Structure formats: structure tokens, C-alpha cells
Amino acid sequence: MSGGSGFDSATLISAGYALTSEELASSGVQASDDVAEYALRLGDDALILAQNMLWWVSRAPELEEDIALGNVALDLLGHARVLLTFAGSASGKSEDDLAYFREEEEFRCLHLVQFPGHDFGETIARQLIFSHYAFEQWKRLENSADATIAAIAAKASKELDYHVDHAEQWTQRLGLGTEESNRRLQAGLDYFWPYIDELFEDDEFIEKLGPVAVRPSELREDVMARITTAIEEAGLRVPEVKQAVTGGRRGEHREALGHLLAEMQVLARKHPGVTW
Amino acid sequence: MIEQIDKNLAQRPKDPEAARVWDIVGKVTDPEIPVLSIIDIGILRDVLVGSDGTPQVIITPTYSGCPAMDTIKADVEQALRDAGYERSEVTLVLAPAWTTDWMTPEGKKKLEEYGIAPPTGSAAVGMQRGPKRLSLAVRCPRCGSIKTNELSRFGSTSCKALYQCANCQEPFDYFKVH
């Protein structure tokens, strides 16, 4: 390991120093198939949202916000990298194999994270929902029966705490700002609300994982209480809309994910092993 | 990658050989904040020396996405090669999670002299839900005024926020409590 792993990662500026599955394997940490599948769910949420958030770099309404959204995306990408590396340890795959060389139906992310959210109101609405959800999830996962998941959670929850704060501050600013900013954030909330039930869906796989995972339904009360308080304090209304048909955890996705993957994966697929 | 180590502050090893390695790699600095060594920031967690003499250096990332970690890892390996160690191992640990509470008092002083306001207070009180918590005023590292405003909680790197002093008008970085 002295000269780095020698593995070229397209996610790194300098080749050879990725925390690869090979390194993970040599350290003796290897996920079981079930834990790997769970890490994939968590990692795909973070990866896809990071990719969507990165669109804002150079496009945000002000320089400070440009940096803030870029930082949030960087944190999420950090979570995705370690989670996908861990997930890959079960099958001998690297983080890049999992990010760039999986087909759409092999991704396990929520529908919430798949849409572009190119309207600032939409992005803040989604951040309000996702960051509260992810914070509560990571907070509980600090007690996961899997030591690696617990370690990742301890770091991620601290970062999500900042994301929550960022989303709440913008919710207040836009909600209590002008008529137009209030309208746009409300439209963003209305847009993403149909996908909220999926966040709290249990399934047989979660039951099987037991104390390794958090049962999503257990998050619902706390997450919804915090989101609805933030919405009401900002002079907005909690949407009353029908829930959409989802299935992200089973690999059933929105059209938007295909477009996102096409852009995210094109370089790695066109020039396998490329570094810069 | 993952192993449980003492939650307390990292200590210079008692074993003389490991202590030598600690002193060598302890001079490696953060590429983003070159006045801070990896001991100052609390990134260097432990040093072990194998029976064959191969040093193992254990470091922890500050933030999950911190791109400086790759450079730090490479710099640690280079420092050891320069000191005559042909082989070395750098291990990243995530647990316990890094906190600014591990930053040394010297590190905080160096930060301030460098123009970055050091973290105020302790991380242990953070992450409480409920009503918005008040945070301590951040002192301007240039003129010492506490009349400062946060421009953005997210600054030039993950670990910093961007502030402006209302007294001297200068913008400055603040190392966030984490």
C-alpha cells in the first residue's frame, strides 16, 4: 500500500489514492451481501443528489450560495464514495464500477433525489425534505450493528446537520421574502411532495437487516414534525397532494434518472480508466 | 479502514520507534491551510510500527468529501520515504469521527495569526434539534472586533465559513465548529 493502491479513480484529481475496495478488503473489512445492498441504497441517494446539486456550481443566485451548494454536494459525494466502496467490497467492485458502470435499474435511490430541481425554489424544497430525512436516518445509524455503517453515520450526521440548517434558513428567507420567492418555494414543495411517502416505506429487506438498518417508518414522525414546522414558520403551506407511484429501492425509476446517468457516466464509459 | 480507537485526543506514542515516526509525519501540513500540521488539526490519530519495521500511520478525514485527504496521505508517505522508510501504510479511520475539539491550542493560535478565525466553543453542544441555537460571536482575526457577520456558512473549503468584519470591513474565513 506504500505507493497508494495504484488504482486509477476518475473521481480523484490525482490517481492512485482512492480508498478502494482493494484497500478495504486488505484491511479485512468486507460487507456481507445484505449490508452491501443497504450501503448501496444509502450511497445511491447521496450520489444522485450530489450529481443534481452540482448542476448549481456556477449557476447559483449569488457567489456565496454557489459555494454553499457546491459544499453540500461535496459532502454528499464524500458519503457516496465511502458507501459505494463499502458496498463494492462484497463483490470486488470499486466505487467507480458502481457509479459509472451500473444500469439504471441497478440503482437503488429514492425518486425524490432523481429530479433535476433546476429551479432554486425546487432545490431548497428538496433540501428541506432530504436533509431532515437523512439527518434523522444517520443519527440513528450511529448505533447500527454494522461498525462501518455506524462509523460513516457518525461523520455524515454532523455534515447533514449543516445541510438542515442551510435548507431551513433558505426556507425562511424565501417563504417570508417576496410574493414571488414564496410562490416559487411553495411550488417546489408541491412538486416534490408526492414522493415523500417513499422515504418512510419499510420492506422485507429492511426487516431482514434488523439492527444494521433503521426502519424508515420509524423516521416519519420526527422528520415530518420538523419539516412541517419549518414550512409553517416560513408562511408556507404543507401540500395536500396524492402520493406518486414509486419504487426506487426496487430499481423502478423516473425518466429523469436516465438523463442524469447518461451525463454522469458518459466519460467513464467512453474512455474506460481515464484520469485527469 | 474502520477500527475503534480511543475517543480521547490522540497521543504521541510511548514506543520510541513509533514516536519517531509520529514526529516525522507530524510535520506534514494541511495543503489548504499550510500553517497547520496534521497534529494541530487532530487528523493524526495514531502511529504503529510493525514487527518488520513498517510504520502504519492512522489518520482521519475532517469532512467526508475533503479532497485534501488524498494529498495528505501522499504527503505522509513521501515524508516517510524521505526519512528512509521504504515501505509505509497510511490507514484512514472514520471512527471516532473527527471533531474540531481535537484541534490543539497552538493550532488555534496559528490559525488566527494566519487570518482564519479558529472554532469557537465546543462541538459537544452542537446537533441539538428544536429552537434555533445562538452561536458565539466570531472574532475578526485582523482587528479583533466581535462585530462580524456570517456571509455564508459554507466557505472556500468544507471546514470553513465566510465572514465579514463590520469594523474593518475585511472578509475572513472562520473554521467551523464541527
Side-chain angles (χ1 to χ4, degrees):
Chain A
M1 209 155 80
S2 56
S5 64
F7 176 80
D8 289 336
S9 165
T11 57
L12 285 175
I13 298 161
S14 57
Y17 294 104
L19 183 63
T20 63
S21 51
E22 289 87 343
E23 283 181 356
L24 260 172
S26 71
S27 74
V29 177
Q30 198 181 352
S32 69
D33 288 346
D34 284 345
V35 174
E37 177 70 18
Y38 187 55
L40 209 56
R41 288 185 178 196
L42 299 166
D44 283 350
D45 286 349
L47 175 69
I48 301 304
L49 185 54
Q51 177 74 13
N52 267 323
M53 298 281 283
L54 284 169
W55 180 86
W56 282 104
V57 172
S58 83
R59 290 182 172 106
E62 53 187 39
L63 179 63
E64 289 76 15
E65 197 45 33
D66 210 287
I67 296 168
L69 293 173
N71 266 296
V72 170
L74 185 63
D75 287 343
L76 292 168
L77 193 60
H79 306 156
R81 287 192 57 193
V82 67
L83 284 162
L84 293 191
T85 299
F86 185 47
S89 70
S91 51
K93 290 193 166 128
S94 72
E95 51 174 321
D96 284 3
D97 292 337
L98 292 175
Y100 298 128
F101 297 96
R102 261 187 306 156
E103 302 298 326
E104 200 176 324
E105 64 273 14
E106 295 173 277
F107 279 79
R108 292 290 174 265
C109 48
L110 296 164
H111 283 203
L112 179 78
V113 300
Q114 302 180 10
F115 299 94
H118 288 176
D119 183 280
F120 190 67
E122 286 177 3
T123 275
I124 295 305
R126 172 164 57 198
Q127 279 305 101
L128 183 71
I129 298 168
F130 183 83
S131 58
H132 272 294
Y133 164 75
F135 174 83
E136 292 296 335
Q137 182 166 257
W138 284 126
K139 202 71 205 122
R140 285 165 177 74
L141 283 174
E142 287 180 25
N143 299 315
S144 169
D146 184 275
T148 306
I149 298 277
I152 297 168
K155 202 155 257 309
S157 61
K158 291 212 254 186
E159 290 160 11
L160 259 303
D161 190 37
Y162 274 109
H163 302 185
V164 166
D165 194 67
H166 174 260
E168 289 209 329
Q169 295 214 17
W170 270 110
T171 299
Q172 293 216 350
R173 231 173 261 149
L174 297 180
L176 304 172
T178 65
E179 209 172 289
E180 173 66 3
S181 70
N182 179 291
R183 185 191 69 75
R184 293 266 288 273
L185 182 52
Q186 186 66 56
L189 288 168
D190 293 346
Y191 184 78
F192 281 115
W193 213 258
Y195 310 99
I196 216 161
D197 269 0
E198 188 186 20
L199 275 55
F200 309 111
E201 266 172 22
D202 297 338
D203 60 12
E204 282 177 14
F205 175 68
I206 289 289
E207 299 300 334
K208 191 176 152 197
L209 281 170
V212 167
V214 166
R215 204 178 279 125
S217 60
E218 286 173 12
L219 299 171
R220 183 166 205 132
E221 197 180 327
D222 283 349
V223 172
M224 293 309 287
R226 299 212 162 94
I227 296 174
T228 50
T229 303
I231 289 173
E232 282 160 4
E233 280 180 351
L236 298 155
R237 46 179 177 75
V238 176
E240 284 178 42
V241 290
K242 274 195 176 167
Q243 289 301 301
V245 175
T246 52
R249 301 301 193 207
R250 297 187 300 276
E252 294 157 17
H253 299 298
R254 298 274 145 187
E255 186 183 346
L257 183 66
H259 295 291
L260 178 145
L261 291 180
E263 188 177 341
M264 187 178 86
Q265 296 181 333
V266 65
L267 190 75
R269 287 184 181 225
K270 204 164 183 181
H271 306 283
V274 69
T275 58
W276 59 85
Chain B
M1 178 188 68
I2 310 300
E3 40 187 290
Q4 290 294 333
I5 44 181
D6 195 351
K7 268 189 189 288
N8 297 327
L9 287 174
Q11 300 284 338
R12 185 172 180 268
K14 291 204 170 64
D15 171 64
E17 191 51 28
R20 178 170 180 259
V21 174
W22 174 277
D23 293 340
I24 293 164
V25 301
K27 293 195 178 71
V28 170
T29 56
D30 183 323
E32 304 277 5
I33 312 166
V35 288
L36 290 191
S37 74
I38 58 176
I39 294 175
D40 290 331
I41 322 172
I43 292 175
L44 181 58
R45 298 299 296 150
D46 206 355
V47 168
L48 307 164
V49 177
S51 51
D52 64 345
T54 304
Q56 188 192 12
V57 178
I58 297 164
I59 56 177
T60 185
T62 52
Y63 280 72
S64 303
C66 180
M69 284 315 290
D70 300 313
T71 309
I72 290 170
K73 195 177 170 199
D75 289 350
V76 164
E77 287 166 348
Q78 187 59 49
L80 288 170
R81 268 195 298 275
D82 291 347
Y85 291 92
E86 277 177 28
R87 283 172 38 78
S88 64
E89 252 182 54
V90 180
T91 307
L92 278 178
V93 292
L94 291 176
W98 173 82
T99 164
T100 43
D101 294 351
W102 294 346
M103 191 179 283
T104 63
E106 304 85 74
K108 289 182 181 172
K109 200 163 153 277
K110 283 192 236 172
L111 259 188
E112 191 157 25
E113 285 163 4
Y114 187 60
I116 298 173
T120 54
S122 158
V125 297
M127 292 191 28
Q128 291 162 348
R129 300 295 94 179
K132 288 268 176 295
R133 54 194 184 261
L134 272 177
S135 50
L136 292 172
V138 173
R139 204 158 70 91
C140 172
R142 290 169 196 276
C143 73
S145 168
I146 54 165
K147 286 184 186 157
T148 58
N149 301 311
E150 181 185 86
L151 295 181
S152 171
R153 191 151 297 182
F154 296 86
S156 53
T157 62
S158 303
C159 50
K160 286 177 272 175
L162 185 61
Y163 272 68
Q164 186 176 25
C165 178
N167 183 44
C168 70
Q169 301 296 321
E170 283 293 323
F172 64 92
D173 274 335
Y174 164 57
F175 206 109
K176 290 184 278 198
V177 173
H178 188 80

